[in-house]
Amino acid sequence: MRNFFFFTLLICALSSCSKSETTEDQSNRQFVDVSGIDPDIKPGDNFFMHVNGRWYDTAKIADDQVGVGSYSFLNIPQRQLLENILEEVSAETHPKGTNDQKVGDFYASGMATEVINARGFEPVRPILKEIDGIQDIPSLMAFVTTQISRGNNSIIGMNVSPDQENSSINILHFSQAGLGLPDRDYYFKTDSATIGIQNAYKVYISTLFELTGSSQADAQKSANAVYAIEKSLAESHKTRIERRVVKENYNKMAVSELDSKMSRIGWSKILNQLKLKADSVDVRQPAYYIKLNGLLNSVSLSDWKTYLKANSLVTYSSVLSEPFEAANFEYEKVLLGQSKQLTRAQQMVNKVDRQLGFALGQLYVKRYFNEDAKKRISDLVDNLQIAFETRIKQLDWMGDSTKTKAIEKLYAITKKVGYPDVWRTYDAVTIDREKYFENVVALMENDYQYQAAKLNKAPNKDEWGTTPSTVTAYYNPSLNEIVFPAGILQFPYFDLYADDAINYGGIGMVIGHELTHAFDDQGAQYDKDGNVKNWWTDADFAKFKAKTQQLTERYDSFTVLDSVPVKGAMTIGENTADNGALYIAYEAFKLTEQGQDTTKIDGYTPDQRFCLSIARIWRVKTRDEFMRNYVNTNSHSPAMWRVNGPLMNFDPFYTAFNVQPGDKNYKAEEERIRIW
């Protein structure tokens, strides 16, 4: 099975035992999976399936997974490595307060299922009792505020991050919140799949109430009341596409004005109770809070209390006894399609990584990360910046003054590779091996305090937004930084012993993708210092918008599951980055010795291997339920279109694989969309 292949390959690539293998042994490895290629599918018809077709037809998705393959599904073998670490450290006694102790004891507390099951819903009784004691809207909002400080958010979505008009200071931002389904559209669609998800969600909420003592009839009534509130809130939510408009989701308002306009929410009281100092805050989606303010008046207090109970039970369902976990999983089965729950150990791996991720990350890096990879990736990033500069200078649609600003921003990007230079600590948290629920709450409270402590301070430029073991990468526009954690620095993205065509078509694409995010529809509105500030001429920005509109319309024409459309406007940022990355990575590859050669390896030219690597890094197979949710909620296009979409705009692909008119994905020269 492919899962096993990834796991064994990862151990060979990253474990200490691999360091004894010779360079000669490694250089003899084959980096193109010839067995996965389907020769019956023409490259110009569907390159994703040409490269991955035979693999796709035989790959098995494990019952407890929603997919298999590369990218996010490469986290499956990663989690096995983390489980190995956790099993090791939890079996030993460590000095109190060390990372080993906290990580090991937190894991052990969650593995003690007999203790957890014996407690039932006893750990949340005090919270439910607090809700019963609510007498009016002010006391309701006081409860909501207390729960914010415990990491249990409901109707208020609050975070601390840089002011987008003054990125040198962190401010409070308030975003739309309050929903239980994945997206506002799930409350209004009437297709059979969505109705099935709506019904499963209502059953989930009803089951939670039954598990805490309600009769079936009362539980169903409660679930209907909760759903009605959520649907009313959803009416005010901006769509994911609307939330991409940067300036329309920034509304700095005086707290005194908010108190006047939305008095039932009690903005000043929230800040005072949380001991947060702010004269003004950013309300990203004001329509939501206007709606909430009205519902606090029109919805009965009894229904609001029912809503808060449901929210609390959903928040903690995964850390209560088995019946609560089972109820959650029954809903997720309908939403995502997996038929079997993860093992308890794998559930706890996810929990530890989410709540003690940088403590666990230190243990991961120490055991599995090859420091040579950090230097090599840093060199690749530098090479791609040079290639990107060359492409900017050659753009025929951008004027010289805008080019100068773009290049300044390009070289101002901060690069983070592997793991943080300064690790986040959890010194304020005490982890008790015997108290799982209390550990979870303590870590949630600690995370709130960690975030709140940033308010009115300069952003911490040493901070990371992902744990080192995670297979991902990101660009942060407010800090103008790109981040590549240790987890993604492995095959098929990167290998120290692979030829340049493989690495530039792999991690080179990822690097180019993140660099291009600095210049996508959102990133292009931020300057080199992370402020939303126009650095374009009007004429150049108009041309840029016209080109991104072309790309939006192209991706609107793509479908998955036969007839489910890709949302071009929702995925435009990622599509811009994918298309830009292709040319930038290729430009950098052509500067290498192999890039300037034509010698074949495994029967393929360097340019062909570059393209094959691109198709390989997005090799993914998912369940239909997962894919249906993905295209509705994810800002990335589905894997097949992350390959075929950019390649149909890429001239060297046509030459390398002799793509001709009549091939399904052929585009005439004038139809090939190029932005960066």
Side-chain angles (χ1 to χ4, degrees), residues 80-92:
Q80 185 59 55
L81 294 182
L82 297 180
E83 183 179 333
N84 295 344
I85 294 171
L86 291 169
E87 286 289 335
E88 175 191 328
V89 296
S90 65
E92 300 172 358

Side-chain angles (χ1 to χ4, degrees), residues 588-662:
F589 169 55
K590 298 308 282 186
L591 298 175
T592 69
E593 182 178 344
Q594 186 191 20
Q596 298 172 30
D597 194 10
T598 57
T599 303
K600 291 184 177 182
I601 302 176
D602 301 328
Y604 294 98
T605 67
D607 278 15
Q608 288 175 327
R609 289 174 69 79
F610 176 84
C611 294
L612 290 167
S613 184
I614 292 165
R616 178 63 180 82
I617 64 173
W618 303 127
R619 172 185 281 184
V620 164
K621 180 178 181 179
T622 68
R623 298 189 187 281
D624 290 353
E625 296 90 341
F626 173 87
M627 181 54 64
R628 196 170 282 110
N629 180 64
Y630 184 96
V631 296
N632 284 316
T633 61
N634 202 290
S635 60
H636 299 80
S637 288
M640 183 172 71
W641 294 115
R642 298 194 72 175
V643 177
N644 294 344
L647 284 176
M648 64 178 63
N649 298 318
F650 185 52
D651 294 344
F653 168 66
Y654 286 75
T655 303
F657 288 93
N658 193 31
V659 178
Q660 297 294 324

Side-chain angles (χ1 to χ4, degrees), residues 360-526:
L360 178 58
Q362 289 188 62
L363 305 184
Y364 169 83
V365 167
K366 182 178 179 181
R367 286 164 172 78
Y368 297 117
F369 186 57
N370 189 329
E371 289 290 340
D372 291 341
K374 189 169 185 176
K375 174 65 169 64
R376 177 71 175 121
I377 295 300
S378 297
D379 290 342
L380 281 170
V381 174
D382 292 343
N383 292 345
L384 266 86
Q385 278 184 302
I386 294 169
F388 201 170
E389 177 188 7
T390 300
R391 291 200 60 78
I392 290 171
K393 289 178 176 178
Q394 294 173 348
L395 293 174
D396 60 5
W397 58 269
M398 182 182 280
D400 289 343
S401 63
T402 308
K403 286 180 180 179
T404 298
K405 293 289 187 182
I407 292 168
E408 286 177 1
K409 181 177 183 181
L410 173 66
Y411 282 106
I413 292 173
T414 299
K415 295 161 277 191
K416 297 178 178 178
V417 178
Y419 53 87
D421 292 329
V422 179
W423 291 92
R424 176 181 170 178
T425 63
Y426 304 88
D427 294 341
V429 182
T430 299
I431 299 297
D432 188 327
R433 194 178 180 93
E434 307 301 322
K435 296 180 179 179
Y436 178 50
F437 183 87
E438 288 76 8
N439 289 336
V440 169
V441 172
L443 287 165
M444 291 169 70
E445 290 176 342
N446 176 257
D447 197 58
Y448 165 78
Q449 293 297 336
Y450 176 80
Q451 300 299 330
K454 301 176 187 178
L455 183 61
N456 301 321
K457 296 179 182 177
N460 177 6
K461 296 193 175 182
D462 289 321
E463 186 178 35
W464 280 48
T466 187
T467 59
S469 63
T470 306
V471 180
T472 191
Y474 69 87
Y475 170 73
N476 182 345
S478 294
L479 296 181
N480 196 27
E481 65 178 8
I482 51 177
V483 182
F484 306 98
I488 202 168
L489 307 184
Q490 57 173 290
F491 190 77
Y493 296 94
F494 171 74
D495 193 288
L496 279 169
Y497 300 97
D499 54 293
D500 283 329
I502 298 298
N503 280 333
Y504 277 89
I507 197 66
M509 273 290 294
V510 176
I511 295 168
H513 176 99
E514 302 308 336
L515 287 172
T516 307
H517 269 313
F519 306 94
D520 67 15
D521 64 308
Q522 292 182 316
Q525 298 179 60
Y526 291 78

Side-chain angles (χ1 to χ4, degrees), residues 537-556:
T537 65
D538 291 343
D540 287 345
F541 197 68
K543 292 174 185 175
F544 172 69
K545 289 183 71 175
K547 285 182 171 290
T548 57
Q549 182 58 34
Q550 285 182 312
L551 206 60
T552 295
E553 292 171 1
R554 172 68 57 77
Y555 278 77
D556 277 339

Side-chain angles (χ1 to χ4, degrees), residues 236 261-262 265 267 285-295:
S236 70
K261 290 184 176 180
M262 306 171 215
I265 293 175
W267 297 85
Q285 293 86 31
Y288 167 77
Y289 286 98
I290 293 170
K291 180 77 169 185
L292 172 62
N293 191 66
L295 291 175

